Amino acid sequence: MKQQDTNPLRPDLAMIADMITPNSRVLDIGCDHGDLLNYLVTNKSVDGRGIELSQKGVNQCVANGLFVIQGDADNDLGEYPDQSFDFVILSKTLQAVKSPQTVLNELLRIGKQAIITIPNFGQWRVRLNLLLNGRMPVTKTLNKTWYNTDNIHFCTILDLFDLIEQDGYIIEKFTPYNKNGRQTHTAKTYANFMADNALFLLRKS
C-alpha cells in the first residue's frame, strides 16, 4: 500500500507515531477510535494491538480491521507476557487510572519501551485559574469540571519525573508541548510551568 505523504493525526499522536519503528510490535492502551493504531499499521507496517474501554470505540476499531479488545489499564495488562511488545503506548490516560505506579510498572514489564503522554496540571494557566477563582480549573486542555472529569490523579510534569526516577526507569526522550502541539523548552521546571502536555519515552535501566 502506498504510504501517505502527510500525517493526518492530531499533533500529539503524530509525535508518538514518529517514535515508532517500522515493523515493530505495538500495544496502544486506550486507543479510542484507533486513529493512531490505524496509521501505524498502514504506514509503518507494525504488528498493532489495542485495548479500549468503550464498546463504541472497540466496534469502530474492529470495523476498520484493527485488532482491538475491550479492557482497561488497571485490570487487563497482567494478561500479557513480559516483553511481548516493542512499544506500549498510553496517551493521556495515566492520570485517569486507579493505580498509576502499578500501571507504569506494567507498561515496562510488557513493553521494551513505553510512550506516555499526560496533561500537565502544573501549567501556569491552571495555577492562575485556581489562585484567582478558588475552584478546580477548566481550561482548553483540561476541559471538564471536577465532578465529570475522567482525571482522578492530578499530575504535573515534575510529579511524573519524580515517579519515573523513583522506580528507576530511563527517560529516552522528553517532549513538553502546548495544546497546539508546539514544543516548549525541555528544561523540567520551565516545562512544568509552560507546557500544557508532555510526552515521555521510557525504558528499563
Side-chain angles (χ1 to χ4, degrees):
M1 181 179 294
K2 183 180 178 180
Q3 292 189 350
Q4 299 176 13
D5 295 327
T6 59
N7 192 325
L9 298 170
R10 71 178 195 236
D12 58 320
L13 297 183
M15 283 191 285
I16 294 173
D18 287 343
M19 294 182 174
I20 302 298
T21 307
N23 302 304
S24 57
R25 295 166 296 161
V26 176
L27 176 64
D28 187 3
I29 303 167
C31 59
D32 197 27
H33 296 147
D35 292 343
L36 174 60
L37 198 59
N38 188 55
Y39 178 86
L40 293 174
V41 170
T42 302
N43 293 274
K44 293 204 167 184
S45 301
V46 306
D47 178 3
R49 301 286 186 270
I51 300 176
E52 170 54 34
L53 183 61
S54 76
Q55 187 61 57
K56 182 179 179 181
V58 173
N59 292 345
Q60 185 166 341
C61 289
V62 172
N64 289 331
L66 301 173
F67 189 89
V68 174
I69 62 172
Q70 188 171 25
D72 67 78
D74 280 307
N75 298 305
D76 297 303
L77 298 185
E79 302 297 322
Y80 293 94
D82 295 356
Q83 302 292 283
S84 50
F85 295 94
D86 297 305
F87 297 93
V88 178
I89 300 166
L90 189 72
S91 178
K92 294 186 178 180
T93 303
L94 189 65
Q95 77 286 347
V97 301
K98 294 178 182 177
S99 302
Q101 184 176 25
T102 300
V103 169
L104 178 63
N105 292 336
E106 282 292 273
L107 298 182
L108 285 159
R109 178 187 66 80
I110 64 179
K112 296 177 182 177
Q113 292 181 291
I115 299 174
I116 299 170
T117 65
I118 60 163
N120 176 31
F121 289 89
Q123 201 265 357
W124 71 267
R125 292 185 187 86
V126 178
R127 302 187 197 194
L128 183 63
N129 195 316
L130 182 58
L131 176 65
L132 296 180
N133 298 321
R135 293 176 174 82
M136 293 309 299
V138 178
T139 67
K140 289 183 179 180
T141 301
L142 305 170
N143 59 4
K144 294 184 178 180
T145 55
W146 67 270
Y147 55 82
N148 65 7
T149 181
D150 295 326
N151 301 321
I152 59 177
H153 296 283
F154 299 100
C155 172
T156 71
I157 288 172
L158 292 181
D159 286 325
L160 187 50
F161 264 101
D162 290 344
L163 178 58
I164 292 166
E165 292 167 2
Q166 173 186 310
D167 286 356
Y169 299 126
I170 302 299
I171 299 174
E172 290 282 328
K173 187 171 183 178
F174 165 60
T175 305
Y177 60 98
N178 65 20
K179 58 183 178 294
N180 298 318
R182 186 173 61 189
Q183 298 179 24
T184 71
H185 197 284
T186 57
K188 288 194 296 185
T189 302
Y190 181 90
N192 195 55
F193 189 73
M194 295 300 295
D196 292 293
N197 309 278
L199 181 152
F200 292 79
L201 174 64
L202 307 176
R203 66 171 175 83
K204 286 186 174 181
S205 58

